[in-house]
Amino acid sequence: NAGVTQTPKFQVLKTGQSMTLQCAQDMNHEYMSWYRQDPGMGLRLIHYSVGAGITDQGEVPNGYNVSRSTTEDFPLRLLSAAPSQTSVYFCASSYFGQHTEAFFGQGTRLTVV
Amino acid sequence: GIQVEQSPPDLILQEGANSTLRCNFSDSVNNLQWFHQNPWGQLINLFYIPSGTKQNGRLSATTVATERYSLLYISSSQTTDSGVYFCAVLILTGGGNKLTFGTGTQLKVEL
């Protein structure tokens, strides 16, 4: 009964470092996505995937890479972290289509110093 | 793109009071969800409600898609209701399901 699992929960990076935020779901959902949440704002879409091998950009994709090699996993990569990427990151999954409910992971709080 | 506006932005209630949160959206949507972000930052699914009315305990929601708004009702509020309430609308794009979030209503319930 895990749902959407994100790791790590907290991370501090130095400017220029790279890291991967992990996301896994066990609901056999086709659609997975990454959002970032900044203070006073709602969530904004970074990247999404409609299935294994298919990814696309959301509204704020710069500085992030994604891949989808399996249905279950959708990692988010920061190749060279910048202070502007300090944020809380959420992974979500759902079935694909309009009659579908999205479920979110518990979030990763990332600080870039 | 679609605009999603929530009101009020902030709300302080005494425990036991009732409240109504509103979500307006600027275009037709395929779906709508309400979430509660608790003080620990977790996003909790409240309602999946493209149209009509649903109830879950002290919470209920109504979406009138033709008039482009949704309402979340909280009755007999408790301190555990504190947090931020988001509505998010779903639009099917050529490539996927895009959830657009409102900026939220920050609720604080006091004893």
Side-chain angles (χ1 to χ4, degrees), chain B residues 10-46:
Chain B
D10 298 281
L11 186 59
I12 300 175
L13 298 175
Q14 294 294 313
E15 194 172 47
N18 303 328
S19 63
T20 301
L21 282 58
R22 188 176 181 99
C23 173
N24 291 333
F25 40 96
S26 61
D27 205 345
S28 299
V29 300
N30 300 107
N31 206 339
L32 186 143
Q33 287 186 243
W34 282 97
F35 296 90
H36 174 215
Q37 187 167 38
N38 64 24
W40 295 270
Q42 294 177 300
L43 279 169
I44 309 300
N45 288 36
L46 295 178

Side-chain angles (χ1 to χ4, degrees), chain A residues 10-22:
Chain A
F10 302 94
Q11 182 71 48
V12 178
L13 288 179
K14 293 182 179 179
T15 298
Q17 285 185 317
S18 63
M19 79 159 296
T20 300
L21 280 63
Q22 302 291 345

Side-chain angles (χ1 to χ4, degrees), chain B residues 4 17 21 23 34 38 60 63 74 76 83 87 92 94 97 102-103 110:
Chain B
V4 182
L21 282 58
C23 173
W34 282 97
N38 64 24
S60 63
T63 296
I74 304 174
S76 304
C87 68
L92 282 184
N97 307 359
T103 52
E110 299 177 333

